[in-house]
Amino acid sequence: MSRGKICSLEWMNRPLRRSVLAIKLRHCSRNARGVQTASDASINGDQEEHDLCNWDELKFSFIPTDYMYVMKCSSGESAFSQGHLTRYGNVELSPSSGVLNYGQGLLEGLKAYRGDDNRIRLFRPEQNALRMQMGAERMCMPSPTTEQFVSSIKQTALANKRWVFKFTALTYPVPPPGKGSLYIRPLLLGTGSILGVAPSPEYSFLAYASPVGNYFNGPMHFSVEDKVYRAIPGGTGGIKSITNYSPIYKAITQAKAKGFTDAIFLDSATGKNIEEATACNIFVMKGNVISTPPIAGTILPGITRKSIIEVASWFGYQIEERAIPLEELINADEAFCTGTAIAIKPVGSVTYQGQRVEYKTGEGTVSEKLRRTLTGIQTGRIEDTMGWVVEIE
């Protein structure tokens, strides 16, 4: 599968440098739901270069799509101006920008799904907006309103909808379960120049998209990291700061080099309780009780996590949000992880100090029942009685 050609975009309203493909945007319109769309975008060239014949070839890796969304909050203003779609491409930043010098930035992640009925759906995008606003308050940044955020996601998804079609509905009339979606990555960045340690004077919001497959294939196999901590009390572990991830690269690289899928991190206060993995929340099941670490400043308030807690309650499971000693994970009947990128993945094993504990996975497990229910709601196969799904086409 070859990668599509992309254009480069100069950031500060400079001319667009187009690729060798002749790109034609025929018109912008508003659909029946009032969303402005860059519709009927066509590329003169071999458009079939993006087609996928083997679903297993689609991984969770970046594939450039057609459009991104841009919105700015200029110096002296406290609110973002009206944003717009533009061709996907590189951005230009000052070397003295706040995000490059001091890491003043946030990220989000959500997906667009095409269901059996050929409709495109988003899942609880307003929750992503609220989480970004919470993070922005912590990082002294202005943030798009919920309406601005959701509108940007709708427009980004619709402008790149041919990728949703190609990767989730073209080769098969019904997508294979758990394979193929359009991942949308919103960013909130301090792009103004600043030399002293202080908030940036200007900010930019971006949203781009990429078709993705599974983040991991099969059950997850963890090592327990007891020397490096992902978050500390009073830090930024409870928000999606861009600075949260690279400090644990060494730990997860070492875990993967030993054959593990990922690492589970412990709390920094006691070193005894599990918190979460690199980019997902964790759940532990014993009997009829499903437990997960509480949202207390060091755990990311995952939207999939929140949804699974509600779905599990529907099925009659007892839900506990509390500190979970590592011993409880080791002695659990079942364990699973949740997150936008992975949806719901069972934990196949956990290894700690040379001891490996295995868990049941697959058919008949609680995690599989919850996964089928959640993905059914996300794709329209199961009726959404909670108002979680936003249909955009």
Side-chain angles (χ1 to χ4, degrees):
M1 180 178 64
S2 63
R3 290 169 60 128
K5 301 178 179 64
I6 63 172
C7 346
S8 176
L9 174 69
E10 295 289 357
W11 184 243
M12 306 300 283
N13 297 320
R14 296 185 181 180
L16 185 69
R17 297 196 300 267
R18 298 189 180 274
S19 68
V20 294
L21 295 175
I23 302 166
K24 295 181 179 179
L25 178 61
R26 293 181 185 164
H27 63 275
C28 286
S29 63
R30 292 188 177 268
N31 66 9
R33 292 177 175 82
V35 179
Q36 182 178 350
T37 64
S39 60
D40 200 16
S42 65
I43 299 180
N44 295 336
D46 185 10
Q47 191 164 331
E48 297 306 308
E49 66 178 345
H50 298 301
D51 286 349
L52 184 67
C53 297
N54 185 346
W55 286 97
D56 291 327
E57 292 179 3
L58 183 60
K59 304 181 184 300
F60 196 94
S61 58
F62 179 65
I63 298 173
T65 52
D66 301 324
Y67 296 95
M68 64 183 184
Y69 190 91
V70 180
M71 185 163 40
K72 286 182 171 293
C73 181
S74 300
S75 179
E77 297 180 355
S78 59
F80 277 83
S81 60
Q82 181 67 34
H84 62 278
L85 289 165
T86 187
R87 292 295 300 188
Y88 176 83
N90 294 334
V91 299
E92 184 177 277
L93 286 173
S94 167
S96 60
S97 63
V99 65
L100 293 182
N101 286 261
Y102 302 114
Q104 192 183 22
L106 297 166
L107 60 85
E108 274 296 332
L110 62 163
K111 291 179 177 178
Y113 308 86
R114 186 180 289 276
D116 301 348
D117 55 6
N118 212 32
R119 294 179 178 176
I120 300 175
R121 295 171 171 85
L122 302 173
F123 184 71
R124 309 188 78 173
E126 76 288 343
Q127 293 295 315
N128 295 89
L130 294 173
R131 189 167 64 182
M132 177 170 274
Q133 291 165 17
M134 178 181 70
E137 193 277 331
R138 173 67 175 81
M139 301 280 281
C140 294
M141 307 169 74
S143 180
T145 65
T146 302
E147 293 74 18
Q148 285 177 317
F149 182 97
V150 173
S151 176
S152 75
I153 301 307
K154 290 179 179 179
Q155 293 185 53
T156 303
L158 288 173
N160 295 294
K161 68 180 180 180
R162 74 185 185 95
W163 295 87
V164 188
F165 182 82
K166 284 180 175 295
F167 284 87
T168 64
L170 181 61
T171 312
Y172 300 92
V174 178
K179 294 186 178 182
S181 58
L182 186 71
Y183 187 86
I184 303 172
R185 166 58 54 82
L187 297 169
L188 182 60
L189 308 173
T191 47
S193 295
I194 188 77
L195 186 59
V197 180
S200 173
E202 295 182 357
Y203 297 88
S204 298
F205 172 90
L206 305 175
Y208 66 90
S210 175
V212 296
N214 290 332
Y215 198 91
F216 298 115
N217 290 317
M220 302 180 73
H221 299 278
F222 286 107
S223 65
V224 176
E225 176 55 58
D226 58 2
K227 296 181 176 61
V228 174
Y229 299 102
R230 179 193 168 274
I232 60 173
T236 58
I239 63 173
K240 285 189 76 72
S241 168
I242 62 174
T243 57
N244 286 350
Y245 299 90
S246 58
I248 59 173
Y249 284 173
K250 184 176 182 179
I252 61 176
T253 298
Q254 291 174 341
K256 290 180 179 181
K258 296 176 182 178
F260 297 105
T261 311
D262 200 351
I264 291 176
F265 294 89
L266 304 177
D267 74 300
S268 62
T270 70
K272 297 179 180 180
N273 301 318
I274 62 172
E275 289 209 322
E276 58 185 358
T278 302
C280 52
N281 298 114
I282 188 165
F283 288 77
V284 173
M285 184 162 189
K286 189 73 173 179
N288 194 56
V289 180
I290 299 176
S291 304
T292 191
I295 302 300
T298 56
I299 301 291
L300 188 71
I303 294 160
T304 308
R305 172 191 181 277
K306 180 178 181 178
S307 304
I308 283 300
I309 287 174
E310 296 187 52
V311 171
S313 297
W314 301 345
F315 284 117
Y317 295 104
Q318 180 181 337
I319 307 298
E320 294 182 354
E321 297 182 69
R322 59 176 176 81
I324 301 175
L326 176 59
E327 289 75 15
E328 286 193 30
L329 171 61
I330 292 173
N331 294 316
D333 297 331
E334 188 179 335
F336 57 91
C337 292
T338 63
T340 298
I342 67 168
I344 304 173
K345 278 288 183 181
V347 175
S349 70
V350 170
T351 299
Y352 178 57
Q353 295 182 346
Q355 178 187 4
R356 177 185 170 100
V357 178
E358 297 186 348
Y359 307 91
K360 57 184 177 182
T361 63
E363 292 295 327
T365 60
V366 173
S367 64
E368 178 62 13
K369 178 166 67 172
L370 296 175
R371 186 195 67 80
R372 289 182 177 179
T373 302
L374 184 68
T375 57
I377 294 171
Q378 290 171 333
T379 58
R381 294 173 184 164
I382 295 176
E383 182 182 2
D384 173 26
T385 60
M386 299 297 292
W388 288 348
V389 171
V390 177
E391 292 186 4
I392 59 175
E393 187 177 80

